[in-house]
Amino acid sequence: MTTTLPTDETRMSELPAHDVADLSLAEGGIRRIEWAEREMPVLRLIRERFELEKPLEGLRVGACLHVTSETANLMRTLKAGGAQVALCASNPLSTQDEVAAALVAEYGISTFARRGVDRDGYYVHLNAVADTHPQLTMDDGCDLVSLLHRDRTAELAGVMAGTEETTTGVIRLRAMAADGALRYPVVAVNEAKTKHLFDNRYGTGQSTVDGILRATNILLAGRRVVVAGYGWVGKGIASRMRGMGARVAIVEVDPIPALEAVMDGLQVMSSMEAAAWGEVFVTATGNVNIFAEQHFALMRDGAILANSGHFDDELELGALHRQCGGRIRQLRRDLQEYDLGDRRIYVLGEGRLVNLAAAEGHPAAVMDMSFANQALAAEYVARSHDGLSAQVYVVPAEIDREVARLKLESMGIAIDQMTPEQVKYASSWQEGT
Ligand SMILES: NC(=O)c1ccc[n+]([C@@H]2O[C@H](COP(=O)([O-])OP(=O)(O)OC[C@H]3O[C@@H](n4cnc5c(N)ncnc54)[C@H](O)[C@@H]3O)[C@@H](O)[C@H]2O)c1
């Protein structure tokens, strides 16, 4: 594909508002976006329909998502549906700078994202999206919703609805709704089965292993890996680690997933026991300080710490920083060594979600389903927001099933339908022995 990149000032002035690292990276970004698109047939079908039907015509969408090639394909879909889109990053380390450049230069989408931006820069970008007066917010971790409710309350009256991508964001939104603080309806995309059963489990499972390997290049076979949290993400990581030959132990606080882990054939132990046992530690709880000062004191020389939960507070890095007196060396791009004197501990991707910081996040084939849900949820709220109140909504079951149906179809897989006799049997309470 040929493309005209912004080589002259005239073209620059035609570009949408943006703050990206380097527009000259756009060519590489286009190639990445096209490669991802090949793996996203469901989103492509939706985009083709959106192009014809324009269900989002004139709608201002403010999105705060990981700026990756898969997200770029979602942004293209929303734009095809007629939306005016502004995008910022939902994590300072997950931005693919070439993709951000391509979004601006090739696809005409307002993008505010640079990999490695500091906290202030991160909020400048969020505010830039808020400045576009979004009518629909699309969040991954609830940072945009929080900003609007905390600092940019004047914008709230103009927002009709939102969508939220991840578990942690949904937890924050439910807490806001319970406090009566949430001011507009939000659809929890994470709650769709075609999202969390696949994205959280298979997507994060594989890409977390990928991130750890890219950051360290260690051999996993025979390695003792501790996974904290046996929810959808933890299950995915544990099963993929086991598939690589690692010996896996689970740390949990809920007896039900802990029991599930035992019956899945995994070791389950307390976090203190695990600290002394493990060689690689991965957190996936959505909670805070899972491995903290008391755990670091027990960890062996060479222990590797990574996080795949949404926020970077699952590892208490402040304590590790104090313990090592600031003796930190950057050994590889996403690998830092903390020198504790008697031992060295290694941290990947500064404790930010390792699958995005050190690898490329979920494979596109999985994001195809998550983002199909996002696109269809946006269409749903654009149509139905009048009937919704300021609560957290699940994705309508018809959308969920439609995403699964289209995905199977794209894989060339046919399934059965119940016969009329089976429909009657399955809905009757009078049938029995
Ligand atoms: N890295 C990614 O790309 C990615 C993708 C999806 C979700 N996430 C994030 O991963 C996190 C987990 O998501 P999920 O869908 O698996 O959530 P989940 O609710 O299904 O599972 C979380 C598990 O952690 C356990 N837990 C909570 N506190 C704990 C503690 N102190 N010690 C041990 N276990 C504890 C809970 O009991 C639960 O079983 C969230 O922050 C979510 O936003 C990240």
Side-chain angles (χ1 to χ4, degrees), residues 83-106:
Q84 293 164 35
V85 188
L87 169 70
C88 65
S90 58
N91 186 294
L93 277 190
S94 62
T95 297
Q96 295 167 353
D97 284 327
E98 354 174 70
V99 167
L103 275 165
V104 175
E106 177 68 11

Side-chain angles (χ1 to χ4, degrees), residues 66 140-141 164-171 190 195-196 199-201 203-204 207-208 227-235 237 250-258 271 283-290 307-311 314 352-356 361-362 367:
H66 300 294
D140 186 339
E164 167 56 52
E165 172 78 6
T166 198
T167 316
T168 286
V170 173
I171 291 169
N190 187 69
K195 199 282 185 182
H196 65 256
D199 166 319
N200 299 28
R201 186 165 41 165
T204 319
S207 59
T208 297
V227 179
Y230 202 59
W232 294 112
V233 172
K235 284 184 180 66
I237 298 171
I250 302 298
V251 169
E252 252 296 344
V253 288
D254 183 334
I256 294 174
S271 60
T283 49
T285 69
N287 212 332
V288 67
N289 294 342
I290 305 305
N307 166 47
S308 241
H310 187 79
F311 287 117
E314 301 213 14
R352 297 190 188 279
L353 4 84
V354 69
N355 60 329
L356 280 140
H362 298 166
M367 293 317 291

Side-chain angles (χ1 to χ4, degrees), residues 125-394:
H125 288 163
L126 269 164
N127 274 294
V129 168
D131 289 343
T132 64
H133 314 298
Q135 295 163 294
L136 177 88
T137 61
M138 200 170 263
D139 237 331
D140 186 339
C142 198
D143 278 348
L144 184 56
V145 172
S146 298
L147 179 87
L148 296 180
H149 282 72
R150 205 182 43 227
D151 304 330
R152 300 293 302 268
T153 48
E155 300 297 336
L156 286 172
V159 186
M160 60 167 73
T163 64
E164 167 56 52
E165 172 78 6
T166 198
T167 316
T168 286
V170 173
I171 291 169
R172 287 168 92 182
L173 288 164
R174 290 228 160 92
M176 287 172 79
D179 278 353
L182 187 65
R183 294 274 302 280
Y184 57 83
V186 182
V187 176
V189 168
N190 187 69
E191 307 297 274
K193 289 189 179 136
T194 46
K195 199 282 185 182
H196 65 256
L197 290 181
F198 301 90
D199 166 319
N200 299 28
R201 186 165 41 165
Y202 302 117
T204 319
Q206 176 173 314
S207 59
T208 297
V209 172
D210 185 13
I212 292 171
L213 292 181
R214 289 196 206 194
T216 61
N217 199 26
I218 57 167
L219 181 72
L220 287 174
R223 191 87 46 162
R224 297 175 178 205
V225 176
V226 176
V227 179
Y230 202 59
W232 294 112
V233 172
K235 284 184 180 66
I237 298 171
S239 83
R240 268 51 197 158
M241 283 290 182
R242 203 146 68 142
M244 299 292 282
R247 290 183 281 166
V248 180
I250 302 298
V251 169
E252 252 296 344
V253 288
D254 183 334
I256 294 174
L259 186 59
E260 221 182 337
V262 172
M263 298 221 177
D264 284 344
L266 299 162
Q267 297 196 56
V268 174
M269 54 181 79
S270 73
S271 60
M272 292 297 273
E273 214 182 323
W277 180 87
E279 296 170 297
V280 177
F281 297 82
V282 192
T283 49
T285 69
N287 212 332
V288 67
N289 294 342
I290 305 305
F291 293 114
E293 193 160 2
Q294 65 277 22
H295 301 100
F296 303 143
L298 298 175
M299 285 179 186
R300 67 183 66 212
D301 180 35
I304 295 171
L305 308 181
N307 166 47
S308 241
H310 187 79
F311 287 117
D312 60 350
D313 49 12
E314 301 213 14
L315 303 168
E316 197 191 12
L317 292 185
L320 201 54
H321 210 280
R322 280 195 304 280
Q323 273 175 287
C324 78
R327 286 191 305 277
I328 302 171
R329 282 199 303 159
Q330 190 79 36
L331 295 193
R332 291 162 62 107
R333 191 178 105 147
D334 292 298
L335 173 65
Q336 285 183 321
E337 177 187 79
Y338 284 66
D339 183 353
L340 304 181
D342 58 338
R343 289 161 305 132
R344 289 168 193 191
I345 288 183
Y346 297 89
V347 176
L348 310 189
E350 298 172 23
R352 297 190 188 279
L353 4 84
V354 69
N355 60 329
L356 280 140
E360 295 174 50
H362 298 166
V366 147
M367 293 317 291
D368 189 25
M369 290 190 279
S370 306
F371 284 168
N373 275 294
Q374 282 281 12
L376 296 179
E379 180 184 33
Y380 167 73
V381 292
R383 210 178 36 229
S384 321
H385 63 95
D386 280 345
L388 304 177
S389 58
Q391 295 298 325
V392 179
Y393 288 88
V394 296

